[in-house]
Structure formats: C-alpha cells, structure tokens
Amino acid sequence: MVSNYETDKLRLNADMILRFAEVFEVSADELLRAARARLRPEQPSIKLVRRMEQIEALPLYEQRALLTTIDKFLAAAQSS
C-alpha cells in the first residue's frame, strides 16, 4: 500500500496522512513534504531502515558475511 502511495498509484486523503504520520512518527507536514520531494537525501528510506533492522537481528557472523558481500558489490559498482 505504501508503495502505491509512493508511486502515485493512490492519493492520500487527510485521514491516511494522519495515520501514516503517526505510524512513521513524523508530523503530517513532514510526511507531505517527503511525498512532494519523494525522499530527503539526508534520511534513509523506510525500506532501507527495515532492511537494516533485519540485518541487525541476524547473528553476528551472518551480519559480517552479508556486509562483506555488500561491501564487495559496492566496491565493484564504484570501480566500473
């Protein structure tokens, strides 16, 4: 559902704006500004935050393996 709002497939009504603001712990104004600007560059996306939380829940050795893979992928992407 959030993805549909982000891609303009659905429009937010006032009630949904207030609900989303409460869930994401931001003001309605911040939510509307983020919707207009899509995402602020200084703040990670909700998807990224959720993935980081999932990674932090993994055992330490799995976190290290995953982060090593990500680091190698990023290094390869930057060198090309």
Side-chain angles (χ1 to χ4, degrees):
M1 180 183 246
V2 172
S3 176
N4 287 333
Y5 287 118
E6 290 175 341
T7 57
D8 290 330
K9 291 179 183 174
L10 294 173
R11 296 284 179 188
L12 287 173
N13 61 40
D15 185 50
M16 290 305 295
I17 291 170
L18 295 175
R19 288 181 184 187
F20 278 126
E22 184 177 331
V23 167
F24 294 127
E25 298 179 350
V26 297
S27 70
D29 187 50
E30 287 175 293
L31 186 63
L32 290 171
R33 286 184 188 166
R36 182 176 294 155
R38 286 295 167 231
L39 290 175
R40 294 181 186 173
E42 69 272 6
Q43 295 179 346
S45 71
I46 297 297
K47 288 181 182 180
L48 182 59
V49 170
R50 287 184 184 142
R51 284 183 172 85
M52 288 189 299
E53 289 170 351
Q54 290 174 325
I55 292 169
E56 287 180 335
L58 294 172
L60 190 56
Y61 68 93
E62 289 182 5
Q63 288 181 31
R64 288 182 183 144
L66 181 57
L67 293 174
T68 298
T69 302
I70 292 170
D71 289 341
K72 288 180 181 178
F73 178 82
L74 293 174
Q78 289 175 351
S79 66
S80 58

